[in-house]
Amino acid sequence: MIEMHDVWKVYPNGVEALRGIDVRIDQGEFVYIVGPSGAGKSSFIKLMYREEKPTHGVVLINGVNVKRVRDWKIPHVRRKIGVVFQDFKLLPHMTAFENVAFAMEAIESPRRKIKPRVQEVLELVGLVDRMHALPSQLSGGEQQRVAIARAIVNNPSFVIADEPTGNLDPENSWDIMYLLEEINRRGTTIVMATHNKEIVNTLRQRVIAIEQGVIVRDEIGGEYGYED
Amino acid sequence: MKSEVSTVMKIETLSRHFREAYRGVRRNAWMSFAAISAVAVTLFIFGIFLIFAFNVRYMAAELDKQVAIRASLAEQLTDDQQLQVLKQIQSMPEVKNAELVPKEEGLRQLKAQWGDEGTEIFKGYEGEGKNPLPDLITVEPKDPQNIKAVSERVKSVEGVNDAVFGDGVTDRLLNLSSWVRNIVLIFGLGLAILAAFLISNTIKLTIIARRREIEIQRLVGASNWFIRWPFFIEGAFIGLVGAIFPTIIVLSLYQVGYSILGAGEVASILKLMPILSLGIYVTLCIFALGIAIGTLGSIISVRRFLKV
């Protein structure tokens, strides 16, 4: 569960990215975060994986206050969260398999567990036959599927996706969405920032619209709508 | 969930860190080479200093062993009276040992010190009544630092004409060595800091090169130490490699010097330290220092450039 109480994010240059956010996202939900560029979506997302700390207010991830948590405990908070980016952030010198395995190695999973688990998630994202390819040999959609595999390989309770379809053509975008839906069906919470109106309006889920740093709408099964 | 503070690192993880560190060194081969060279130069200077310092300490200790007061006895004393003076000196609490050296023995020792020439030079002094040396009592104080006071006391004993000791040889040696030591230490410290910064620079390059990997590791929840370890190992490795050459060179030079100076018997008071024991000390010190400099360099960079 993610909770935010009266969260403000003010950057050193004085920009107020978030102004008093109150929100609660329960386990198993699928949530779209929508809003114009510069509305505060990125700050909102970054608070959730503790890339940023709130200037004011409380962010709780599974009950842990991310502002108060000791530095050495932050990794354990992050292990509950998988993150997917618009630009995939795959390591170019590693194969698809190695990119996914890298996430397991980083949390010191035993080697004997790594191979079967990586194969399992690559199967889920439909890339078992491409697992020895380098990112440069994969299409954008395939790269994003590798990134999703990496995000879920350590069994997080949340997947936070920042414009996951932003760099993809419509067909690949839909593949990614079906994949995220499937992951959500298996119990993982999905929080996804997006500009894709068609997706939001077709795969109806909870929509949180942010404008000028405040939540202007929070509606289950809502539409994309905000004034561009 | 595993505990962060698990003290035993898994072999798998450890070998991974070493691989990662090795990759870092390879990746910045030239920077690593520069850093290793800087460490090597620094440690070479330290090595020379260490040899110097160990030898001075060794010599001072040897000298201290030899420090003895020579009390010359009045000529007219009979053998019995000499023995009484000896007993009186031996009974002083600050005296460790006292020995009677008759003038014949004194002459023999003198001749021995001059070697082959001695027989020639001192020929005329042999035989009854010709020996100009006094009978001596050599006194070894318990505490060499206390030698002056002891010699005063010995001098005041009746039947003792004079009491002398090798005034301040040890002191002067130690004094000189502390001067040289300070100069070398300041110089060496400057070099060590320079070397540490060079290492920190190569580590910085590795951190930059691995920026994306580190970002992913952080995102998926790698522990801070998991991310840092390879950099510490890389720094320590550079320090370690930088220690190999200076150790070999310094010890080889010492070996050469040692054999040129007649296997440490250049003069009876300047005895060089044997190469084996010196070698062990110097090697340990240089390697420890190299690793310390390397680790320090990594710490500087990790603290400045590695956000965890």
Side-chain angles (χ1 to χ4, degrees):
Chain A
M1 186 169 69
I2 299 172
E3 282 177 275
M4 295 193 189
H5 300 294
D6 191 25
V7 167
W8 288 67
K9 181 68 200 178
V10 183
Y11 289 99
N13 61 8
V15 171
E16 293 179 339
L18 296 175
R19 301 182 294 144
I21 298 284
D22 277 291
V23 77
R24 171 181 160 148
I25 296 169
D26 283 317
Q27 189 60 46
E29 282 196 88
F30 193 123
V31 183
Y32 296 118
I33 312 292
V34 301
S37 300
K41 295 197 302 293
S42 281
S43 300
F44 184 77
I45 291 263
K46 280 179 181 164
L47 285 173
M48 282 193 249
Y49 60 93
R50 218 289 195 170
E51 180 68 16
E52 306 258 17
K53 281 195 229 178
T55 314
H56 172 85
V58 179
V59 177
L60 298 173
I61 293 171
N62 286 340
V64 177
N65 184 335
V66 299
K67 202 171 175 179
R68 293 259 178 85
V69 67
R70 302 261 184 140
D71 275 356
W72 66 269
K73 277 187 179 168
I74 292 169
H76 291 292
V77 176
R78 292 211 178 105
R79 284 175 200 188
K80 294 282 141 206
I81 303 160
V83 190
V84 178
F85 299 94
Q86 182 173 359
D87 59 355
F88 323 133
K89 290 198 196 291
L90 296 178
L91 299 170
H93 59 281
M94 293 185 187
T95 64
F97 180 93
E98 288 164 344
N99 264 286
V100 179
F102 186 76
M104 289 188 79
E105 287 165 7
I107 64 164
E108 295 164 66
S109 303
R111 198 170 293 170
R112 68 194 150 75
K113 285 191 182 168
I114 292 180
K115 200 176 173 189
R117 173 65 184 156
V118 172
Q119 276 179 335
E120 186 184 329
V121 289
L122 283 175
E123 211 161 300
L124 175 67
V125 302
L127 279 177
V128 177
D129 49 335
R130 303 286 283 141
M131 68 182 182
H132 297 303
L134 290 170
S136 57
Q137 297 163 328
L138 297 171
S139 73
E142 286 171 326
Q143 287 185 54
Q144 191 61 298
R145 280 189 274 156
V146 176
I148 290 171
R150 180 179 64 191
I152 61 171
V153 73
N154 290 330
N155 277 316
S157 37
F158 305 94
V159 168
I160 293 167
D162 194 356
E163 307 258 9
T165 62
N167 277 357
L168 304 179
D169 58 39
E171 192 185 336
N172 275 311
S173 296
W174 283 111
D175 284 345
I176 293 300
M177 288 317 299
Y178 297 140
L179 182 57
L180 289 176
E181 272 201 318
E182 171 62 25
I183 292 164
N184 178 241
R185 261 195 296 279
R186 296 175 180 218
T188 306
T189 311
I190 309 276
V191 179
M192 169 178 160
T194 185
H195 274 127
N196 195 318
K197 188 174 180 176
E198 196 190 343
I199 286 174
V200 175
N201 289 344
T202 310
L203 301 177
R204 290 296 177 101
Q205 303 285 1
R206 177 176 173 190
V207 177
I208 295 176
I210 299 179
E211 275 181 67
Q212 293 179 341
V214 293
I215 294 178
V216 292
R217 186 162 58 88
D218 183 349
E219 189 182 358
I220 291 173
E223 289 200 350
Y224 183 73
Y226 69 87
E227 301 313 312
D228 244 327
Chain B
M1 194 156 64
K2 274 192 301 83
S3 158
E4 167 86 14
V5 281
S6 72
T7 42
V8 187
M9 197 188 293
K10 280 190 281 179
I11 306 285
E12 260 176 38
T13 308
L14 194 66
S15 71
R16 192 195 147 80
H17 290 332
F18 274 97
R19 272 203 313 278
E20 228 21 273
Y22 178 69
R23 270 178 57 201
V25 174
R26 288 280 305 269
R27 184 158 28 204
N28 309 312
W30 281 107
M31 254 331 272
S32 302
F33 178 73
I36 288 170
S37 309
V39 175
V41 170
T42 307
L43 292 179
F44 178 71
I45 288 169
F46 264 114
I48 303 271
F49 158 72
L50 282 173
I51 283 190
F52 179 82
F54 278 126
N55 267 299
V56 167
R57 259 188 48 194
Y58 181 75
M59 284 176 198
E62 288 289 302
L63 274 180
D64 273 351
K65 276 190 219 157
Q66 294 171 19
V67 165
I69 299 159
R70 293 191 310 280
S72 50
L73 299 175
E75 235 169 293
Q76 68 274 18
L77 295 185
T78 64
D79 287 358
D80 272 356
Q81 285 169 319
Q82 285 186 349
L83 274 178
Q84 271 199 331
V85 173
L86 179 66
K87 272 186 188 150
Q88 203 182 331
I89 293 172
Q90 278 171 334
S91 66
M92 293 179 184
E94 58 269 62
V95 169
K96 187 169 157 194
N97 195 20
E99 250 172 71
L100 192 63
V101 183
K103 56 184 155 197
E104 296 75 24
E105 172 68 16
L107 187 62
R108 220 172 45 74
Q109 284 180 1
L110 205 56
K111 271 161 69 179
Q113 273 178 25
W114 283 81
D116 289 343
E117 292 166 59
T119 326
E120 201 66 29
I121 295 169
F122 299 105
K123 211 184 212 168
Y125 299 116
E126 275 172 84
E128 196 67 34
K130 285 182 189 163
N131 189 339
L133 299 174
D135 292 315
L136 289 177
I137 292 178
T138 59
V139 183
E140 202 185 322
K142 271 183 187 149
D143 177 7
Q145 301 291 316
N146 208 13
I147 193 161
K148 201 163 180 180
V150 177
S151 90
E152 291 297 322
R153 247 196 107 177
V154 169
K155 209 179 198 171
S156 69
V157 174
E158 203 169 324
V160 174
N161 264 356
D162 199 4
V164 293
F165 56 93
D167 208 353
V169 178
T170 320
D171 276 359
R172 266 177 279 159
L173 191 65
L174 289 175
N175 239 333
L176 171 80
S177 84
S178 77
W179 262 98
V180 175
R181 183 181 59 204
N182 288 343
I183 291 169
V184 175
L185 266 187
I186 291 169
F187 190 57
L189 205 67
L191 272 172
I193 291 172
L194 194 78
F197 270 97
L198 260 168
I199 291 176
S200 88
N201 228 358
T202 57
I203 303 291
K204 179 178 140 191
L205 288 184
T206 307
I207 291 177
I208 292 170
R210 286 193 47 214
R211 200 173 55 243
R212 293 174 65 121
E213 287 177 30
I214 294 166
E215 185 189 357
I216 302 297
Q217 286 175 331
R218 286 179 52 227
L219 274 177
V220 300
S223 74
N224 297 343
W225 277 107
F226 181 88
I227 295 173
R228 285 182 195 134
W229 261 112
F231 299 108
F232 290 136
I233 295 173
E234 184 179 340
F237 179 77
I238 289 173
L240 188 83
V241 174
I244 294 172
F245 287 102
T247 307
I248 293 172
I249 294 171
V250 160
L251 289 181
S252 307
L253 284 177
Y254 187 72
Q255 174 69 62
V256 171
Y258 192 80
S259 46
I260 286 176
L261 293 178
E265 287 182 17
V266 61
S268 63
I269 60 155
L270 289 178
K271 229 171 155 186
L272 290 175
M273 204 167 167
I275 184 119
L276 186 68
S277 50
L278 180 96
I280 293 168
Y281 284 131
V282 168
T283 307
L284 283 178
C285 286
I286 291 183
F287 273 79
L289 212 64
I291 291 172
I293 291 175
T295 313
L296 178 71
S298 330
I299 291 173
I300 294 171
S301 256
V302 163
R303 287 183 66 117
R304 282 183 59 193
F305 303 108
L306 191 62
K307 185 182 146 201
V308 287

